[in-house]
Amino acid sequence: MSLKAFHILFIALSIVLSAGLGAWGVESYLSQGSRGGLAFGVVFFLTGAALLVYGVKFLQKMREIEP
């Protein structure tokens, strides 16, 4: 597996993990009323969105670099 492919895989898995943790935090807020859970969920949803933007920009950059 090339370094580029590993990087793309790692970004994708990080996005999935962030979304899962975000959902867990929101679920914790809904079931227990924990504001910390809501903050946790929001932070991880934002992290997942930032990783998604990074992943798209990374793929665009790789398309420009490759011959």
Side-chain angles (χ1 to χ4, degrees), residues 18-19 21-26 35-47:
S18 292
L21 287 171
W24 181 46
V26 170
R35 289 187 188 182
L38 181 60
F40 187 83
V42 169
V43 166
F44 274 97
F45 278 132
L46 291 175
T47 301

Side-chain angles (χ1 to χ4, degrees), residues 2-49:
S2 70
L3 185 59
K4 175 186 166 188
F6 176 76
H7 193 74
I8 293 168
L9 176 67
F10 189 73
I11 293 169
L13 290 174
S14 297
I15 291 168
V16 171
L17 179 63
S18 292
L21 287 171
W24 181 46
V26 170
E27 190 276 328
S28 173
Y29 170 71
L30 293 174
S31 66
Q32 299 174 1
S34 164
R35 289 187 188 182
L38 181 60
F40 187 83
V42 169
V43 166
F44 274 97
F45 278 132
L46 291 175
T47 301

